[in-house]
Amino acid sequence: MNDHPESVAQFIDRFLLRTAIGVALVAVGQAISAAMHVAGDDVAGMLDKLALLLSVAVIVIVLPVFVRLVRMRLDKSCDYSEADSYLAQVLNKACVFAFSLTFVLVVGLKATSGRLFVDQPPDFFLSIIAAASLGIFSVVFFVAQHSDDEPADEFD
């Protein structure tokens, strides 16, 4: 049994971490959605089931902490400023980096749109963009979270 209840700051960090995991799973789901356009019918059917499984996993991972966060905000027991959190700073850094690289990807896809995958529907390209953007965000978040830039604990 846990003798130390989780503080609001610890909960917010856990919420941000689970959200990043959920985003990574959604990125994989979007990549699967893009792959279904180029895969055969048998493989596409299996990929569709895998995408459904990933969707359920996202709900199981994120929904409990999201509901708790909403309850805490409604009860006014969550007055924690997320900007003070190291993970919130990492999240912001990952968002900016993902937006920047997604913009470059969109420009690159526009430049090659008449030459590559011309027979694919717009949903294929939207899935690629979403997968790349969310995947970049997730990778940057997890790499930055474990980087040496984290402030050292003064009591170590």
Side-chain angles (χ1 to χ4, degrees):
M1 189 164 172
N2 190 1
D3 293 334
H4 303 288
E6 183 178 49
S7 71
V8 174
Q10 289 170 326
F11 170 73
I12 295 294
D13 284 351
R14 187 165 58 95
F15 171 77
L16 293 174
L17 182 61
R18 284 192 177 203
T19 300
I21 292 169
V23 169
L25 293 174
V26 172
V28 172
Q30 288 296 311
I32 289 171
S33 178
M36 287 182 352
H37 287 285
V38 295
D41 290 338
D42 293 341
V43 175
M46 290 187 332
L47 290 176
D48 188 43
K49 290 176 185 172
L50 181 58
L52 178 63
L53 181 66
L54 286 172
S55 299
V56 170
V58 169
I59 292 169
V60 167
I61 290 170
V62 177
L63 187 62
V65 290
F66 177 75
V67 169
R68 182 172 174 207
L69 179 67
V70 169
R71 284 185 184 158
M72 290 173 72
R73 296 248 183 201
L74 291 175
D75 295 343
K76 306 239 188 289
S77 63
C78 185
D79 59 353
Y80 180 75
S81 173
E82 296 164 288
D84 295 338
S85 167
Y86 174 74
L87 282 185
Q89 292 172 6
V90 169
L91 182 100
N92 289 336
K93 180 180 180 179
C95 286
V96 169
F97 197 82
F99 174 79
S100 301
L101 283 183
T102 301
F103 187 78
V104 171
L105 174 66
V106 169
V107 169
L109 283 174
K110 171 96 172 89
T112 61
S113 65
R115 292 177 227 126
L116 297 174
F117 300 109
V118 292
D119 57 338
Q120 296 301 325
D123 185 52
F124 171 77
F125 295 101
L126 292 175
S127 294
I128 287 175
I129 292 168
S133 180
L134 298 173
I136 292 166
F137 165 83
S138 300
V139 168
V140 171
F141 180 87
F142 290 115
V143 168
Q145 177 193 6
H146 295 294
S147 73
D148 293 333
D149 296 339
E150 184 172 0
D153 189 357
E154 296 175 15
F155 299 107
D156 278 346

